[in-house]
Amino acid sequence: MAGLVLKDVRKIYGDVTALQNIDLVFPSGKLTALLGPSGCGKTTLLRIIAGLDTPTRGSLSLNGDDITTLPANKRKFGMVFQSFALFPHLSVGENVAYSLSISGVEKSTRLKRAQELLDLVQMADFQDRRIGQLSGGQRQRVAIARALAQEPEVFLLDEPMSALDAQLRETMQVELRLLQQQLNITTIVVTHDQREAMTMADEIVVMSNGRSEQIGSPTDIYQRPETPFVASFIGKANFIDGIVRGGRIFVGDDAFDLEKPASFVDGAPVQLVCRPENVELCSVDETSPNKLTGSVSFVRDVGPTREVFVETNAGRVICEMPSSAGAFVAQGENTGVRLRSNSLLCFPGQAPAAAGKQTLASASHQENVAA
Ligand code: ATP
């Protein structure tokens, strides 16, 4: 099969299982992001792909050839590290030409190639500068040019934007994606930033505890998360505990209908998940399904959107609307909130006694979507 294929890859360090049962296909010419929280195994997986580490079990193949035991220097993979790892004593041009000199490419050819690559990353005017005289974004461009010098079959990037400030990071994400599309090179990017993954990737692999939780396009992962973890890690989500009765979900006495009736058995505890932009404010007196009532505890305008925090008897529900929307409720007012049935997701839940108070998922991930 074309592309990079991992079969049942596992990595065990002593008593730590860093990766378990990883089956993945990285299609040729596509950009795949490995996304997940700290410690989920992203870097371990990238190092195994690069040949810098060996899997405890499993195999890797590239375009049908087994590369499981092929040493890193024989893989023809280009890699950009978090730190960029440039040589400070060499000029920009020499850094880019370095790997070509190791491969025995003659001097005039390597300088020409370095010039072409520096052109490509818009650094042609910096050829003679020292690395210490460059900004973070310029260093990153040099690191990318250097990694591309050997025309790698696979391009690997480990948190390539983490050393850059927020604004530059956004710009470089777009630039890197455009460059990858122009070169049509199979690329794998490790990141813990969901915005970065969504900006750049054809496919995202969401990882958790050494496992791949879900693989899909950015839209799939956001609109159709397959687990509560994915729903909480990608974007924001309201989580509400309920019980199934007669194909409907009940949260206390309030009934909720899903577009497709719940397939859970009667009495099963479930967790409803709804993105804030799929929650609408409505009148307290409205008697429709999919509605809760509560009091507004907080309102904030975050640029184009307004968020209204409503404390209901099922926990906090956040409603997000355009800032220009006419409907406005003030802190302390009572309001209804209606969850759109066509965007309600339902997962197996915990028994009521064990279920805690529901809140908006994953405060620690909110910085990823707040920008
Ligand atoms: P981060 O985003 O913080 O870089 P990560 O998702 O890249 O995290 P890894 O660095 O792959 O995570 O680590 C996965 C797990 O394996 C962690 O529990 C880590 O402590 C463990 N681990 C990684 N390398 C080693 C090692 N050389 N020896 C022992 N344990 C290791």
Side-chain angles (χ1 to χ4, degrees):
M1 179 188 283
L4 178 67
V5 180
L6 275 60
K7 284 203 181 128
D8 195 23
V9 166
R10 302 177 199 196
K11 182 69 188 177
I12 296 165
Y13 295 110
D15 55 0
V16 177
T17 302
L19 295 173
Q20 38 189 329
N21 314 84
I22 299 285
D23 286 299
L24 288 175
V25 176
F26 298 92
S28 281
K30 301 288 182 200
L31 191 151
T32 307
L34 301 178
L35 174 69
S38 184
C40 72
K42 308 179 292 291
T43 299
T44 303
L45 186 56
L46 199 74
R47 286 177 57 79
I48 286 175
I49 291 170
L52 300 171
D53 214 335
T54 48
T56 310
R57 233 183 107 156
S59 67
L60 289 83
S61 64
L62 182 64
N63 300 329
D65 297 328
D66 191 307
I67 57 161
T68 315
T69 55
L70 195 68
N73 60 355
K74 298 262 163 46
R75 286 197 189 191
K76 240 186 147 214
F77 287 7
M79 185 145 181
V80 174
F81 297 91
Q82 266 176 45
S83 60
F84 307 148
L86 295 166
F87 302 118
H89 59 287
L90 299 182
S91 70
V92 165
E94 287 163 344
N95 260 280
V96 176
Y98 177 78
S99 57
L100 297 175
S101 67
I102 295 180
S103 330
V105 177
E106 67 92 23
K107 192 171 177 190
S108 63
T109 310
R110 33 180 221 261
L111 291 178
K112 184 166 170 284
R113 179 84 185 122
Q115 177 75 51
E116 284 165 5
L117 286 161
L118 288 170
D119 258 346
L120 189 71
V121 296
Q122 296 160 33
M123 286 291 289
D125 295 342
F126 295 81
Q127 179 134 340
D128 298 322
R129 284 247 193 125
R130 296 271 145 189
I131 298 303
Q133 298 169 317
L134 301 179
S135 71
Q138 291 166 339
R139 282 177 209 208
Q140 195 211 36
R141 289 198 179 116
V142 177
I144 290 170
R146 190 181 62 176
L148 293 174
Q150 283 196 308
E151 296 175 9
E153 290 178 272
V154 181
F155 189 28
L156 307 173
L157 301 106
D158 188 1
E159 303 266 7
M161 317 288 174
S162 59
L164 310 180
D165 65 55
Q167 209 171 358
L168 184 56
R169 205 155 58 212
E170 294 240 332
T171 310
M172 291 305 294
Q173 286 162 5
V174 175
E175 278 191 23
L176 187 55
R177 172 58 162 162
L178 291 173
L179 183 65
Q180 183 271 332
Q181 286 176 325
Q182 185 187 339
L183 299 175
N184 200 27
I185 182 169
T186 310
T187 302
I188 304 171
V189 178
V190 159
T191 180
H192 61 266
D193 177 347
Q194 58 118 359
R195 253 180 97 84
E196 188 163 297
M198 293 183 96
T199 303
M200 299 202 296
D202 294 292
E203 281 216 321
I204 298 176
V205 177
V206 184
M207 294 181 65
S208 158
N209 289 324
R211 245 191 284 261
S212 133
E213 283 262 329
Q214 188 172 346
I215 305 161
S217 69
T219 310
D220 262 350
I221 299 264
Y222 185 79
Q223 306 282 359
R224 290 172 284 283
E226 287 169 4
T227 63
F229 171 81
V230 175
S232 69
F233 193 73
I234 310 287
K236 295 181 200 170
N238 294 296
F239 282 71
I240 298 165
D241 288 332
I243 297 283
V244 177
R245 264 192 266 143
R248 305 182 91 187
I249 315 290
F250 281 83
V251 177
D253 292 331
D254 296 309
F256 287 73
D257 294 322
L258 305 173
E259 208 168 47
K260 271 202 300 186
S263 56
F264 298 94
V265 295
D266 254 25
V270 290
Q271 208 170 32
L272 290 172
V273 177
C274 191
R275 300 280 184 205
E277 66 271 23
N278 294 320
V279 181
E280 307 167 294
L281 295 178
C282 63
S283 152
V284 174
D285 303 321
E286 194 174 294
T287 55
S288 59
N290 298 10
K291 186 204 141 203
L292 294 165
T293 52
S295 71
V296 176
S297 60
F298 191 65
V299 179
R300 66 174 176 185
D301 278 312
V302 265
T305 55
R306 174 179 302 144
E307 290 176 350
V308 179
F309 292 39
V310 181
E311 308 301 328
T312 74
N313 57 7
R316 174 177 297 165
V317 174
I318 296 189
C319 166
E320 185 182 290
M321 63 195 85
S323 290
S324 55
F328 185 73
V329 287
Q331 212 165 342
E333 271 183 52
N334 286 334
T335 183
V337 284
R338 193 173 41 235
L339 283 55
R340 292 194 188 108
S341 63
N342 60 2
S343 50
L344 257 184
L345 300 166
C346 187
F347 296 106
Q350 294 173 305
K357 192 170 159 56
Q358 309 82 1
T359 56
L360 186 82
S362 185
S364 64
H365 303 139
Q366 284 182 31
E367 76 274 13
N368 283 334
V369 284

